[in-house]
Amino acid sequence: MYFFYPKICDNDMQIRAVDAWYSGSSHDAFIWGMSHAKQYFRTQYESGQRSLRLLGDCGYGIEPFLLTPYRDPQFNSKEYKFNIAHTAARNIVERTIGVLKSRFCSLMCTLHYRPEKVVKIVNVCCALHNISRRYNIEHDQEVSCK
């Protein structure tokens, strides 16, 4: 059983990195730790590029290029307000997943294929999603996925 998540997307709902290789029982932090994206951001940071930032949830470790929410901030403190803004900004990931799954209904269920084939299916769906977003190609949301 394989699940996928767009691990990185931008504010235009363009998927920048995805990983469908690991099973659904793998924790996001594990997948992130093994990802090429993490290595890319680390390399960029170490070479002096300090303006690249990612938003992640509190399950991820501390990285200088990864902004995670504060744990248990005091109500109305700067940290509390940061967490509210952080949550609002991260909402784009959930919306992107929703749009992707509504566009490609087969992604709403478990893909019962060899892992290599699942990776290809997910990558092609993400590429087609990005093309559709870039060129403002609408999809028929009236069509129900069954």
Side-chain angles (χ1 to χ4, degrees):
M1 175 186 317
Y2 290 82
F3 294 94
F4 74 96
Y5 297 97
K7 291 301 173 194
I8 301 173
C9 70
D10 64 20
N11 63 320
D12 292 325
M13 299 175 90
Q14 291 279 322
I15 298 169
R16 300 299 180 181
V18 66
D19 193 338
W21 186 256
Y22 299 96
S23 71
S25 62
S26 299
H27 191 276
D28 285 350
F30 169 78
I31 296 169
W32 168 247
M34 305 294 288
S35 74
H36 294 288
K38 179 181 178 180
Q39 190 57 44
Y40 170 80
F41 278 91
R42 178 178 302 290
T43 301
Q44 292 297 306
Y45 184 84
E46 289 172 353
S47 68
Q49 174 57 273
R50 301 294 203 260
S51 62
L52 295 176
R53 297 285 189 264
L54 292 172
L55 299 178
D57 66 27
C58 59
Y60 292 93
I62 296 173
E63 302 280 354
F65 47 84
L66 181 64
L67 300 174
T68 57
Y70 289 95
R71 293 190 188 268
D72 302 320
Q74 187 175 23
F75 181 73
N76 248 358
S77 64
K78 288 187 285 187
E79 293 83 3
Y80 179 84
K81 292 174 183 174
F82 171 86
N83 282 4
I84 290 171
H86 184 276
T87 299
R90 276 192 48 245
N91 186 310
I92 191 77
V93 174
E94 300 305 323
R95 288 194 338 234
T96 301
I97 292 169
V99 169
L100 179 68
K101 286 182 174 183
S102 71
R103 190 182 301 271
F104 302 101
C105 298
S106 62
L107 299 179
M108 287 190 177
C109 60
T110 302
L111 297 171
H112 297 282
Y113 299 102
R114 290 176 294 113
E116 298 83 7
K117 190 168 191 168
V118 170
V119 169
K120 289 177 183 177
I121 291 168
V122 170
N123 286 344
V124 167
C125 289
C126 290
L128 291 171
H129 165 83
N130 284 349
I131 291 168
S132 298
R133 295 290 305 168
R134 181 173 175 100
Y135 294 103
N136 295 316
I137 299 170
E138 297 295 324
H139 68 284
D140 190 355
Q141 294 178 344
E142 300 285 323
V143 176
S144 64
C145 298
K146 295 180 183 184

